[in-house]
Amino acid sequence: VISWGEDRAQALATLDGALAETAVLGLDTNIAFLRALLADAAVRAGDLDTDLIDRMPPFVAPEPTEAALAAAAGAVARSSGSHPATAAASALWRSASGWRPGGDPVPRRHLFATDAGEILDAAVPPDGQPVSTGSRAGRRVIGSAGPAGTRLATDADGTLWVHAAGATHRLTPLSRRAALERRLAEADGDVAAAHPELLAPMPGTVVAVHVSDGAAVEAGDRIVTIEAMKMEQPVIAPHSGTARILVAPGDQVRREQILARVEPDAGASVD
């Protein structure tokens, strides 16, 4: 993607706008990182060198906007009537209209998990009009039916890819039971911290293995580094223990592939 302008600021603004309108659904890209890079003060000033990216803070993907969540909730609402579990139900039940006796229809609520592990609560009102936003039980509550200007695709496993407001998000629909199980797992800090498997945060190439198999490591030690689209992502030890390395430099790995295990030392406590 190449842009030009009367000056650097105009060219950068044009480039950022083009990236914001670029929607690639169904696979990971570094578009969000590129937009963050364009917003960096050094880049905007033209003060560039080969260590620039290393000096930047760790990249954090943007959170889904209200428009993105509304589109995802609308897609789930539209597909719910065709679910095998509802095949024998009445038309009123399959409509998910929110009807209830003696009261106004209630919004249909849908839960989603982001790649960062956050659980979001989106509401689609029966009349399609926006509802108030807020938070409940630590979850963000979003209202509105699928708005115009969004782009959406669905993976074979039901995962939704939504492009809205210049960013693409991968959202995993959750049942209430699955959401509860996730929250309980997060609340159990000891169990979560003690999990020995280190997973690839993105598909890419192993560019470095920083410790040897069987080495003693401490919490926070860098174990493996993954590179994808010129972006490096370190994978660190969640606790102290013995590293068991399952990959080698040059290996191609998929998202959430097990890269290594850190086995806690016998009798050691895990924070």
Side-chain angles (χ1 to χ4, degrees):
V1 180
I2 301 173
S3 69
W4 65 275
E6 296 296 331
D7 53 28
R8 183 178 185 82
Q10 186 182 87
L12 287 174
T14 302
L15 180 57
D16 183 64
L19 292 174
E21 292 298 318
T22 302
V24 181
L25 306 180
L27 63 143
D28 293 308
T29 73
N30 67 342
I31 293 174
F33 170 74
L34 293 176
R35 294 194 67 200
L37 187 63
L38 292 177
D40 184 81
V43 173
R44 301 193 70 82
D47 183 16
L48 308 178
D49 59 69
T50 55
D51 293 327
L52 171 66
I53 293 178
D54 290 335
R55 293 196 301 271
M56 292 177 62
F59 172 71
V60 178
E63 290 190 353
T65 61
E66 294 189 9
L69 284 170
V76 172
R78 290 190 296 273
S79 65
S80 60
S82 61
H83 193 281
T86 66
S90 70
L92 177 62
W93 182 272
R94 292 197 305 271
S95 71
S97 65
W99 177 87
R100 61 179 177 177
D104 295 329
V106 296
R108 290 163 285 167
R109 297 199 174 279
H110 302 280
L111 302 175
F112 299 94
T114 68
D115 284 346
E118 184 182 7
I119 297 176
L120 305 179
D121 185 340
V124 177
D127 60 4
Q129 296 301 313
V131 297
S132 60
T133 62
S135 62
R136 45 193 288 268
R139 300 172 301 184
R140 196 164 10 127
V141 182
I142 301 299
S144 161
T150 60
R151 299 171 189 146
L152 187 144
T154 306
D155 279 345
D157 62 359
T159 299
L160 296 171
W161 295 79
V162 184
H163 181 86
T168 298
H169 311 279
R170 187 171 71 160
L171 300 172
T172 303
L174 296 177
S175 65
R176 293 184 181 276
R177 179 183 293 274
L180 175 61
E181 290 174 349
R182 288 194 180 215
R183 289 195 294 271
L184 291 175
E186 292 172 0
D188 190 350
D190 289 343
V191 173
H195 200 286
E197 295 179 345
L198 305 185
L199 308 181
M202 59 185 179
T205 303
V206 177
V207 294
V209 175
H210 303 282
V211 299
S212 59
D213 186 65
V217 297
E218 300 293 331
D221 284 354
R222 184 175 295 197
I223 306 300
V224 176
T225 295
I226 304 295
E227 181 184 59
M229 298 170 289
K230 299 183 180 180
M231 187 166 52
E232 291 189 353
Q233 178 70 48
V235 179
I236 63 175
H239 50 255
S240 60
T242 302
R244 299 300 179 189
I245 307 301
L246 304 179
V247 293
D251 285 355
Q252 297 288 321
V253 296
R254 62 184 184 279
R255 178 192 286 270
E256 297 186 351
Q257 178 176 331
I258 301 174
L259 307 176
R261 294 184 177 88
V262 178
E263 301 171 350
D265 297 328
S269 61
V270 177
D271 296 328

